[in-house]
Amino acid sequence: MKMIFEIRDLKHATPATVSRAGILYISTDDGTQWRSLVKSWISKNRYSQEIMDAFQENFSKYINDSLLWLKINTSSIVPIEDMNRVQVLLYMLDGCLNEKNTSSPEALEVAFVYCAVWALGSSLCIADDGTDYRKLFSEWWRSEWKEVKFPSRDTVFDYWLDPKENVFDSWTKSPFFFSVDYDSQITPMTQVTVPTPETCSVAFWMDSLVKMRKPIMLAGPAGTGKTQLVNGMLNQFEPSATMSATINFNFYTTAAVLGNTMSIPLEKKTGSNYAPPGTARLVYFIDDLNLPEVDTYNTQSAIAHLRQHMEYEHCYELQKMSLKNISNTQVVTCVNPTAGSFYVNPRLQRWFATFAVSLPGSTSLLTIYQTFLDGHLKNFSDEIKGQSNNLIKAAM
């Protein structure tokens, strides 16, 4: 019998195993893996030869140098492989390409740059020493690539690509930025998501990727509104078409516990096939993904179960030892990298489009506080309503 194991290292292997193992190491330094992925993706698209050549030219022009610069000069909120960044770029291109931006190589380059900036920089954050890696990446991108110009103010992440005009505009002009008419007597604060320029950009990509059934991860410290962002997106879906189930991980979450919990919203279709009721699709929202206990061999059984579910769309019934095929499900998750195991197993991490969520800036805080305080003072006299600005400024 011959067996092949895909392993990260031999840290926990016995000397007997090490002495008998034949090691095949596949280097990622030359970028052959992501280049092969790109080549495969381009071959599956049906555009004119001119556009296909433009795709290849843009990947060759922008991606290799950008990945090298990121590796040398920045640090992501969670460890991200080059292959993962390129895969997310392909996800984003699938969601953004339309007749307008594929009409010419010049129009295509604008859409490509927009997606590349977000795919490469979405996981960048503010370091513990105060270094803003997104701002650093934005400054480098503007100085390095001048063919597609972003507006000069703020960073390259502060602009949205209008799909109808194929031009950059502020996120405040996008459909995902709107004012909230809040009334504290009708709606609890916990059920309201106040759009800000930072959150509406993440909301845009979440909405686009979830509709394409791509896994999404929001990573950031406690109190940044990750859970609220996801719940705000899930609440906008039509329940008959898209269901959601929230699963909160903790130290004691195991593969058995997770398997039972994920089975609750499913119904048996035929034989060993399971799916959400009717024709609806199901979004599993997994909060605190990295909290389960790490065992002696540096693994987490719940993470391994979730990876199997996402990769193969099946799992095993532990009591009957039978296979369960699960369809029409997808995963959205949140991670606090300052707690739990601090990072997620790279075999699972590679599937997610990861977005760093940081604490809101002063302008965004002002918008949030103003929305809630004005909603609370709605039924008070004009004299008291007029004090809301002063109260917020004093608090900040």
Side-chain angles (χ1 to χ4, degrees), residues 84 87-88 91 214-216 307 310-311 346-353:
N84 185 209
Q87 178 65 76
V88 173
Y91 290 164
K214 306 302 183 185
I216 297 170
R307 183 187 65 82
M310 292 175 61
E311 287 187 11
R347 283 193 177 86
L348 178 64
Q349 181 71 59
R350 62 178 175 152
W351 292 106
F352 289 97

Side-chain angles (χ1 to χ4, degrees), residues 63-83:
I63 303 305
N64 192 60
D65 290 347
S66 298
L67 290 173
L68 179 61
W69 187 89
L70 286 168
K71 190 175 294 185
I72 295 172
N73 297 285
T74 67
S75 176
S76 299
I77 194 164
V78 291
I80 302 290
E81 298 290 337
D82 290 350
M83 191 76 163

Side-chain angles (χ1 to χ4, degrees), residues 37 41 44 84 87-95 205-218 233-234 237 281-284 310 313 329-333 349-355:
L37 177 65
W41 180 84
K44 292 178 181 178
N84 185 209
Q87 178 65 76
V88 173
L89 172 56
L90 300 183
Y91 290 164
M92 292 179 171
L93 286 170
D94 286 335
W205 286 116
M206 279 201 304
D207 182 75
S208 175
L209 294 170
V210 166
K211 287 178 179 176
M212 294 190 293
R213 296 191 60 197
K214 306 302 183 185
I216 297 170
M217 175 185 290
L218 301 188
M233 176 196 65
L234 296 176
F237 291 132
R281 56 193 182 98
L282 174 64
V283 179
Y284 288 113
M310 292 175 61
E313 293 192 316
T329 65
Q330 61 190 100
V331 175
V332 176
T333 186
Q349 181 71 59
R350 62 178 175 152
W351 292 106
F352 289 97
T354 304
F355 295 87

Side-chain angles (χ1 to χ4, degrees), residues 7-14 18 296-298:
I7 58 175
R8 190 160 73 245
D9 53 51
L10 294 171
K11 182 178 180 180
H12 300 288
T14 63
V18 173
T296 308
Y297 302 104
N298 201 30

Side-chain angles (χ1 to χ4, degrees), residues 95-155:
C96 287
L97 293 177
N98 56 35
E99 188 176 346
K100 176 74 174 179
N101 54 39
T102 55
S103 59
S104 67
E106 293 75 21
L108 176 64
E109 188 172 7
V110 174
F112 184 93
V113 165
Y114 172 60
C115 293
V117 161
W118 275 99
L120 298 173
S122 64
S123 59
L124 301 180
C125 61
I126 299 176
D128 293 336
D129 62 1
T131 304
D132 189 340
Y133 287 126
R134 277 199 179 184
K135 185 177 180 181
L136 197 66
F137 175 68
S138 174
E139 291 171 351
W140 174 81
W141 186 277
R142 279 196 167 112
S143 63
E144 187 74 13
W145 316 113
K146 300 182 184 298
E147 288 80 1
V148 177
K149 295 186 180 297
F150 285 87
S152 57
R153 295 183 60 186
D154 303 316
T155 70

Side-chain angles (χ1 to χ4, degrees), residues 7 9 38 48 83 102 125 155-156 171 209 215 220 235 249 255 276 281 295 308 312 348 362 379 389:
I7 58 175
D9 53 51
V38 167
S48 66
M83 191 76 163
T102 55
C125 61
T155 70
V156 294
W171 279 107
L209 294 170
N235 290 335
F249 274 18
R281 56 193 182 98
D295 63 21
Q308 181 182 13
Y312 302 106
L348 178 64
S362 57
N379 298 316
N389 285 334

Side-chain angles (χ1 to χ4, degrees), residues 140-330:
W140 174 81
W141 186 277
R142 279 196 167 112
S143 63
E144 187 74 13
W145 316 113
K146 300 182 184 298
E147 288 80 1
V148 177
K149 295 186 180 297
F150 285 87
S152 57
R153 295 183 60 186
D154 303 316
T155 70
V156 294
F157 299 99
D158 292 310
Y159 295 96
W160 166 70
L161 183 66
D162 187 339
K164 295 181 180 179
E165 303 297 332
N166 205 42
V167 295
F168 294 109
D169 206 344
S170 170
W171 279 107
T172 56
K173 304 293 178 60
S174 75
F176 289 83
F177 187 85
F178 52 90
S179 59
V180 176
D181 186 16
Y182 173 69
D183 190 335
S184 61
Q185 296 184 350
I186 299 175
T187 309
M189 287 176 60
T190 54
Q191 296 182 10
V192 177
T193 303
V194 180
T196 65
E198 296 96 336
T199 60
C200 71
S201 60
V202 176
F204 165 79
W205 286 116
M206 279 201 304
D207 182 75
S208 175
L209 294 170
V210 166
K211 287 178 179 176
M212 294 190 293
R213 296 191 60 197
K214 306 302 183 185
I216 297 170
M217 175 185 290
L218 301 188
T224 52
K226 303 183 297 295
T227 302
Q228 190 65 31
L229 272 171
V230 175
N231 285 330
M233 176 196 65
L234 296 176
N235 290 335
Q236 293 177 1
F237 291 132
E238 179 62 39
S240 60
T242 305
M243 303 169 52
S244 64
T246 301
I247 303 174
N248 294 296
F249 274 18
N250 57 55
F251 182 79
Y252 300 102
T253 303
T254 62
V257 172
L258 178 60
N260 292 332
T261 306
M262 295 180 78
S263 297
I264 293 174
L266 304 176
E267 66 177 19
K268 188 173 183 178
K269 298 296 185 180
T270 57
S272 60
N273 299 317
Y274 292 78
T279 59
R281 56 193 182 98
L282 174 64
V283 179
Y284 288 113
F285 171 34
I286 300 179
D287 208 356
D288 295 323
L289 178 67
N290 59 330
L291 284 189
E293 179 185 13
V294 180
D295 63 21
T296 308
Y297 302 104
N298 201 30
T299 61
Q300 297 158 287
S301 65
I303 296 296
H305 180 95
L306 181 63
R307 183 187 65 82
Q308 181 182 13
H309 173 92
M310 292 175 61
E311 287 187 11
Y312 302 106
E313 293 192 316
H314 71 227
C315 63
Y316 286 91
E317 178 66 55
L318 297 182
Q319 294 179 346
K320 300 178 181 178
M321 295 302 293
S322 58
L323 189 69
K324 292 173 60 176
N325 295 308
I326 302 170
S327 58
N328 280 348
T329 65
Q330 61 190 100

